[in-house]
Structure formats: structure tokens, C-alpha cells
Amino acid sequence: MNVLIMTDLEGISCVDSIEQMSGDGYKFACERLMLDLNAAVEGAIEGGAKNVYVVDGHAKGSNFIYEMLDKRAKAVKLDEYHPMLQNREIDAYMKIGCHAMAGTLNGFLDHTMSSATWYNLFINGRKCGEIALGAMYVGAYGVPMVMVSGDEAACMEARDFLGDIVTVPVKYGIGRNKACCRPSDEAISMIREGAKNAMGLIGKTHPLKPVLPAEIILEYCRSDYCDEAFKNNRQTAERLDARSLRKVITRIEKYSDLFF
């Protein structure tokens, strides 16, 4: 069995402040990212994974400390794993370090794709965040999401969309920009055990697939952001109002099909 592990940074264990997303605290966050990721790799292998592919998914992929990466993992760049899905080389999808969608109460560093420009994303009338987007994208190729780690709000969101998958809450938000974290050793042990247990869901849980044709509506934070997006998507998008675009898709081939 082959597993793809996507990573983000906001939901990593022991990362408890917005200041750790940049500046002096960023190196610590990246080190924690590698510890969480290695725990997931170890757990997946203990659970029966033959190959574990890992993707640096935060901010276009510049966060891995490769000398810390478990040697059994195979790093794949953001633009390299799409052919693996097309070729049916992936059996399950996990995401480490998740955050909740924009507008989530007490979601640590909550946002959807862009905290600067995006406000709300709706797919078939349901508000969605990055967890659902990732699950729908791999789900289009028959791959189920089986595990999520992150803050408590992100884990609740994952269960709301995906049902009884494995979720590992490593902290909970105190407002948006602060979090209270589990002790390091406890969080790492939970991630490893969660990934191991998640392997048992392969063949038992179903991929997330929206009803097609699907209506996509994206609300931007400001009208000028919507102006620019509409200019770049005139052939496929309908302008609903000052801040919103709409399109209808009949299939999902690329991740970007789910937004603008």
C-alpha cells in the first residue's frame, strides 16, 4: 500500500503562536514539522505502508529540513504528485499540521488558502476549507483521506466532512493567534499511533466526492481582489457581486479546478 502525506505548518504540534509562522520562531516550527511528519511516516509503515510519499505543502513548499526527514520517506514536490494520482499509485491520503477553514471560532490561524484575499469558499452550497479541498481532489482519483492531525477545530472539521477517520488533535486554539498545545512526547506518540491505525481504514472508508456538476462560489475579502480574479477567469467565471465569483465544474482533474 502506498500513502501520500501532505503537510501544512499551522497545525503542527507545539506551534502555539502566529509569530512562529515567520521570523525567529519559524525554524522551531519547521523542526516540529519534521518531528510530526516522521512520526506519521513511522506509524504508516508500522501499519503496513510499502511506500510513504511526503509533500511540503505550506507556502508553496519551502519548509522541510531534509536532513531531519525519515530516510524511509520519499519526498515529492507539490507539482509532482498529480501524475501519481492519475496513475493510481496512491492508496490513501493523510494530512499533517491542518488548520480550520476561514471563520472558525477558536480555530488556530484559521484561513482558507489565502488569509489575505479569500473570505469564504462554497462547494455545492457548503462552506469548505483546505481539508475538504484536499480530500475532494484526491477523492476524484478514488483515494480516501484516512487521517488528519492539527488543532482541535481542524480535527472537528475533518470529521464533519469525512466521518470516522482518524484525527489527532495536538492543540486547541485560544482565539485565532494563540494555542494551548499537548506536551511534545504525547503529541508525537499520538500522531504515530494515529497513522498506524489509519492504515486499517484503507478499503473501509470512502473517497470524498462532491456531486457533479458542482457549483463553486468564492467570496473574496475585498472587491479589488475579486476584480483581479474575474479578469483572469472571464471564460469560466460569473461575477455574482462585488466580492464573489461563481463557476460550475463537470469534473475534477486538478486541485485548482475546485477554486479560481
Side-chain angles (χ1 to χ4, degrees):
M1 292 184 287
N2 297 334
V3 177
L4 179 69
I5 302 179
M6 178 64 66
T7 64
D8 212 340
L9 198 60
E10 291 87 354
I12 293 300
S13 68
C14 298
V15 173
D16 63 2
S17 170
I18 190 173
E19 285 76 22
Q20 290 170 311
M21 293 296 101
S22 60
D24 293 340
Y26 173 70
K27 183 175 184 293
F28 171 79
C30 292
E31 291 170 349
R32 293 303 313 181
L33 165 64
M34 302 314 296
L35 294 177
D36 283 15
L37 177 57
N38 285 345
V41 170
E42 182 177 355
I45 291 172
E46 288 178 357
K50 179 181 179 182
N51 294 298
V52 181
Y53 302 98
V54 299
V55 183
D56 186 352
H58 177 75
K60 299 182 180 179
S62 57
N63 314 279
F64 278 6
I65 304 172
Y66 284 96
E67 57 267 29
M68 290 183 64
L69 181 62
D70 189 315
K71 303 304 182 188
R72 296 170 293 180
K74 302 176 181 181
V76 178
K77 294 185 182 301
L78 275 168
D79 60 355
E80 292 178 341
Y81 71 94
H82 178 72
M84 300 170 67
L85 293 170
Q86 288 181 309
N87 296 331
R88 310 294 174 177
E89 298 174 23
I90 303 300
D91 299 298
Y93 180 73
M94 301 181 185
K95 189 165 185 181
I96 304 301
C98 292
H99 57 80
M101 71 175 78
T104 301
L105 182 64
N106 289 325
F108 180 62
L109 300 179
D110 66 301
H111 65 279
T112 301
M113 297 295 286
S114 171
S115 57
T117 61
W118 286 29
Y119 189 68
N120 284 320
L121 174 70
F122 296 93
I123 300 178
N124 288 337
R126 185 175 185 183
K127 187 177 173 182
C128 295
E130 293 174 30
I131 294 171
L133 284 173
M136 289 178 189
Y137 169 49
V138 299
Y141 293 94
V143 178
M145 179 181 274
V146 295
M147 176 190 166
V148 160
S149 76
D151 74 312
E152 189 175 73
C155 291
M156 292 175 63
E157 182 178 315
R159 289 193 296 273
D160 190 35
F161 276 93
L162 300 163
D164 196 22
I165 68 165
V166 173
T167 57
V168 182
V170 298
K171 57 192 171 188
Y172 62 88
I174 305 170
R176 181 183 189 270
N177 296 337
K178 292 291 292 183
C180 181
C181 299
R182 292 183 183 273
S184 173
D185 290 348
E186 181 181 346
I188 294 301
S189 177
M190 289 172 60
I191 292 171
R192 182 175 59 249
E193 191 66 20
K196 179 181 178 180
N197 293 338
M199 294 298 297
L201 294 179
I202 299 175
K204 299 177 182 178
T205 191
H206 300 290
L208 182 62
K209 296 186 177 184
V211 173
L212 296 174
E215 180 188 61
I216 315 293
I217 295 177
L218 178 55
E219 291 182 311
Y220 292 87
C221 296
R222 295 186 342 207
S223 59
D224 55 341
Y225 297 144
C226 192
D227 292 342
E228 184 67 19
F230 185 51
K231 182 175 70 175
N232 295 329
N233 293 274
R234 285 184 181 274
Q235 293 185 348
T236 57
E238 172 190 359
R239 187 80 178 255
L240 295 182
D241 54 37
R243 295 191 296 113
S244 303
L245 297 183
R246 174 186 181 271
K247 70 176 180 180
V248 175
I249 60 172
T250 58
R251 57 185 178 179
I252 301 169
E253 293 183 342
K254 307 181 299 296
Y255 186 55
S256 58
D257 288 338
L258 292 163
F259 47 90
F260 295 92

